[in-house]
């Protein structure tokens, strides 16, 4: 029974995707297919939705995602949909659920919607629509969480994927870190100049460093929203070589944070601050 329901949903999406433009309702980029409640719970759990969050559901259908975000997770938000009837239905459902003061439903095109106030964006769209939205999503404030039911963002790999009946994907909008960065840090023997050259594809980063002009590899680079971490081995003196564990927050052209040199009782902790001196 459940299998045939899933098959119907799949066929409905597939048929819509294959329809020639002239036969499809021209304004609608995606048909209305509601997300099952257990999948909505998983999307909102995965995005770690909390009372301070502002959730935007793009193509909000009957309003169920946003109403759940308000009712179970204490968030506020906006849903946008082109279908006037679904907007009326959503408003009535929000009223009935007692969350009408925290959610709003607007009849408008998701592509013409300002997304910048969202801390979380929820989507159950189609692959082509996701791809058209991708540049706008990537440009959002670092740390914004994007969560999608069933469909991905092309070669922008999700940060987390879960599967509970359906696939759900989470992306954390990454800070833009590509370029050349410079800093001075206190190492044994005085202040030393470190240069980082970082390359970036979405949240995936790599590159290399220099300590006082000597090449050093960057190990374990990670970017999670505006949080960056990586390791450089300080091997200027083989007898006292140690790893430098950097953790910091990116804010425009500055990264600032804590640096641990070494491990155990030999560990020392320092502040660090790097400035971008050239974009990639
Ligand atoms: C698959 S449904 C998802 C509904 C809801 N978000 C959920 O997960 O239950 C997609 C919705 O997008 C709406 N839609 C399609 N094209 C749109 C567009 N360009 N702008 C806004 N909404 C659109 C449809 O009317 C439909 O309600």
């Amino acid at each position: 029974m459940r299998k045939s329901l899933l098959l119907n949903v799949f066929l409905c999406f597939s048929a819509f995707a294959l329809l020639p433009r002239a036969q499809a309702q021209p304004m609608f980029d995606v048909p209305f297919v509601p997300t099952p409640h257990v999948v909505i719970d998983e999307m909102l759990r995965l995005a770690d939705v909390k009372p301070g969050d502002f959730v935007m559901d793009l193509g909000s259908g009957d309003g169920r995602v946003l109403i759940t975000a308000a009712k179970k997770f204490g968030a506020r938000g906006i849903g946008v949909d082109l279908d006037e009837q679904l907007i009326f239905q959503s408003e009535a459902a929000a009223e009935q659920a007692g969350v009408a003061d925290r959610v709003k439903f607007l009849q408008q095109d998701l592509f013409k919607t300002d997304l910048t106030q969202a801390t979380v964006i929820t989507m159950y769209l189609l692959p082509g629509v996701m791809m058209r939205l991708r540049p706008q999503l990537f440009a959002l404030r670092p740390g914004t969480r994007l969560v999608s039911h069933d469909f991905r963002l092309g070669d922008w790999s999700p940060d987390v994927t879960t599967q509970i009946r359906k696939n759900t994907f989470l992306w954390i909008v990454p800070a833009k870190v590509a370029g050349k960065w410079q800093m001075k840090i206190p190492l044994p023997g005085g202040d030393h100049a470190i240069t980082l050259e970082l390359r970036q594809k979405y949240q995936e980063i790599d590159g290399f460093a220099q300590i006082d002009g000597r090449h050093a590899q960057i190990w374990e680079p990670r970017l999670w929203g505006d949080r960056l971490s990586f390791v450089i081995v300080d091997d200027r003196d083989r007898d006292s070589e140690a790893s430098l564990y950097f953790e910091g927050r990116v804010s425009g052209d500055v990264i600032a944070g804590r640096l641990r040199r070494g491990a155990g009782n030999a560990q020392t902790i320092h502040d660090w601050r790097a400035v971008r001196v050239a974009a990639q």
Side-chain angles (χ1 to χ4, degrees), residues 96-109:
Q96 203 177 16
V99 296
D101 56 334
R102 276 183 288 142
V103 296
K104 240 197 226 163
F105 294 96
L106 305 175
Q107 187 190 3
Q108 66 186 47
D109 189 336

Side-chain angles (χ1 to χ4, degrees), residues 11-179:
L11 288 176
C12 174
F13 262 118
S14 311
F16 188 86
L18 292 173
L19 271 179
R21 277 266 168 252
Q23 285 175 28
Q25 287 200 56
M27 277 169 34
F28 289 76
D29 295 288
V30 189
F32 173 51
V33 180
T35 297
H37 289 288
V38 75
V39 178
I40 294 176
D41 282 355
E42 177 58 9
M43 291 167 78
L44 300 173
R45 184 203 69 78
L46 191 58
D48 194 22
V49 173
K50 296 196 188 67
D53 275 314
F54 193 85
V55 179
M56 292 186 77
D57 189 30
L58 306 184
S60 49
D62 61 5
R64 57 178 62 201
V65 175
L66 210 52
I67 290 168
T68 306
K71 198 167 175 174
K72 289 192 185 167
F73 296 80
R76 291 179 311 119
I78 288 181
V80 297
D81 204 292
L82 286 175
D83 188 321
E84 189 182 30
Q85 282 314 311
L86 287 171
I87 295 291
F88 290 151
Q89 204 176 314
S90 302
E91 285 169 344
E95 196 70 53
Q96 203 177 16
V99 296
D101 56 334
R102 276 183 288 142
V103 296
K104 240 197 226 163
F105 294 96
L106 305 175
Q107 187 190 3
Q108 66 186 47
D109 189 336
L110 62 91
F111 288 107
K112 295 184 184 144
T113 299
D114 177 6
L115 307 179
T116 55
Q117 63 177 320
T119 57
V120 175
I121 291 184
T122 53
M123 295 166 283
Y124 184 24
L125 301 168
L126 283 167
V129 179
M130 297 288 282
M131 289 303 280
R132 277 168 64 203
L133 262 179
R134 191 172 72 173
Q136 210 180 327
L137 297 173
F138 184 60
L140 289 172
R141 192 177 48 244
T144 306
R145 290 100 83 202
L146 317 173
V147 63
S148 168
H149 168 190
D150 245 357
F151 298 107
R152 305 169 67 113
L153 285 167
D155 64 351
W156 180 359
S157 309
D159 291 281
V160 185
T161 300
T162 61
Q163 193 177 43
I164 297 176
R165 289 198 190 153
K166 304 291 289 296
N167 286 319
T168 49
F169 304 106
L170 171 74
W171 296 263
I172 311 289
V173 175
K176 314 306 178 271
V177 298

Side-chain angles (χ1 to χ4, degrees), residues 209-216 234-238:
Q210 290 186 345
I211 305 181
D212 293 336
R214 274 186 65 207
H215 178 85
D234 175 14
D235 58 0
R236 291 165 304 138
D237 174 358
R238 293 248 168 237

